[in-house]
Amino acid sequence: MTAAISIRDLSKTYAGVKGGPPKQALDGVSFDVPRGSIFGLLGPNGAGKSTLINILAGLVNKTSGSASIWGFDIDQHPRNAKASIGIVNQEILFDPFFTPVETLEIQAGLYGVPKAQRRSLELLRAVHLEDKANAYARTLSGGMKRRLMVAKAMVHSPPVLVLDEPTAGVDIELRQQLWTYVRSLNDAGVTVVLTTHYLEEAEELCDRIAIINHGRVIANEPTADLVGKAQEKIVAVTVDRDVAAPPQNACFEKIVLKGMRTLEITYSKDRVNAGEVLGAVQADGYGIVDVSTKEADLEDVFLSLTRAAG
Ligand code: ADP
Ligand code: MG
């Protein structure tokens, strides 16, 4: 079975802005988005995420490489490729004088969805906007507009939904509603791609995550594997007397004095365990009053990978 999205050696160089130097936003990017997955494209601002999404959307011309959506090459079968994907752009763009229901009807018309197959009200209900169906778009809040964009991306029932930074400007409660909807679409078989620079978001939602930095893919793995890669663990130890100089031991990667009696010790969990670390502190003559550990999360992996890649 072909991938939902397949990207091969994709590069993009923007011409210089106002006589400035050209900017290479994508540099030989290749990856597949498995059908049925929720796939996270994670990277800091300026990494090239929107450029990649906009190439899929047909809004930006690639410099080289190829991409296909649901098996359709974006150059050879642009109509089929376009019909297979719904894209929610990072920027909110609406005609302020149309109502949500009109916005969806117009979009359905653009995609050639027959009247009998349109489901504008059902879509508005799904994104909790049914009571705004007939309000002007300009009267909607930022979060409402974002949800209307998601509904708009789904009018032609594409098998792939792409959301570019969907939670920017969306408050926590609405964010949860948005994720509930995205999960229900995924449960119904829709492949979802989302870009974000929020690690927790990718970690919570995505089955698989690709990390992009300076236009290059630096990781592409199941979320659990990526998180498991963070080998460093941190333990904060409170001892029973003031520390003049932090103890030294070969099993510590790093030790930092965080207060008169609190030591923060970084160790590598593939080399030693917490018991050995605490034993080393006790061997230095300290009694241990309190201990807390921090599990490695995606942030640790992300930071170490982006640091290593420069
Ligand atoms: P992200 O979405 O990951 O924040 P972008 O794809 O928006 O990253 O941008 C990647 C790089 O390309 C950035 O350095 C950005 O300044 C540059 N860039 C984006 N769009 C343009 C453009 N239209 N013209 C010139 N440079 C651009
Ligand atoms: Mg972006």
Side-chain angles (χ1 to χ4, degrees), residues 14-17 23-25 43-52 90 164-165 212:
Y14 289 105
V17 184
K23 171 74 200 178
Q24 181 157 30
N45 280 325
K49 305 180 299 293
S50 292
T51 298
L52 192 146
Q90 189 169 352
D164 192 5
E165 307 259 3
I212 179 170

